[in-house]
Amino acid sequence: MRDAQRRDQIFVALACERRRVALSLLSDHQELTLPDLADEIAEREHRRSLTDIPPETVRELYLELYHQHVPRLEGADLITYSQDQDRVAVTDLGREVERQLLTPVESLLS
C-alpha cells in the first residue's frame, strides 16, 4: 500500500471521535475484550458509572464497534481484533499515532 493511501486510511479512521476514544483507551490498556471496550467508551461518553447507563445503550455501542469502528481501525492497522476471543489490541502504529498525534492535539485544546 502506498504511503499516501495508508495515511488517508489513518485519517479517515481518526475522523470519528468514538474511534479516537477507542484508540486512546486501547493505548492505555494495550488490550481489552470488545465488551469491556464498549463499557469503557459508554462510561466516558455518558460521564456516568456503567450501572447508570441503560444496558441497551451499551449493547448498541458494542454492535456499532463490532460492525463499524473496529473494522475501520483495523483496516488502518491501528488495532487488531481476534473474533475468536472477542479481543481488541492496539498495534505499535496505533500506539504511536495516539502518542504523537492524538495526545498533543488534545493537549492543545484543553
Side-chain angles (χ1 to χ4, degrees):
M1 180 183 310
R2 292 185 5 241
D3 288 344
Q5 287 177 312
R6 189 168 192 202
R7 184 177 51 246
D8 288 347
Q9 277 188 315
I10 291 169
F11 281 115
V12 167
L14 298 176
C16 175
E17 182 178 3
R18 189 166 275 168
R19 289 193 289 266
R20 292 190 303 271
V21 168
L23 184 60
S24 177
L25 288 166
L26 288 167
S27 290
D28 290 344
H29 294 283
Q30 306 306 310
E31 180 178 277
L32 290 167
T33 65
L34 192 55
D36 286 344
L37 181 59
D39 292 349
E40 294 258 352
I41 292 172
E43 286 180 325
R44 186 174 287 190
E45 287 182 354
H46 292 273
R47 292 183 170 88
R48 294 188 295 187
S49 168
L50 190 60
T51 57
D52 296 329
I53 302 170
E56 56 274 356
T57 300
V58 179
R59 185 177 62 250
E60 288 172 12
L61 175 55
Y62 171 89
L63 291 172
E64 190 176 303
L65 285 168
Y66 179 80
H67 289 289
Q68 296 174 24
H69 302 305
V70 167
R72 180 72 70 174
L73 289 166
E74 189 173 38
D77 296 322
L78 300 174
I79 66 167
T80 59
Y81 175 62
S82 167
Q83 189 169 9
D84 293 340
Q85 297 176 343
D86 209 15
R87 296 190 76 77
V88 187
V90 67
T91 63
D92 290 340
L93 175 62
R95 193 174 300 105
E96 284 301 307
V97 165
E98 200 282 330
R99 185 179 67 78
Q100 293 187 30
L101 183 63
L102 296 183
T103 299
V105 169
E106 289 298 320
S107 295
L108 288 172
L109 298 175
S110 52

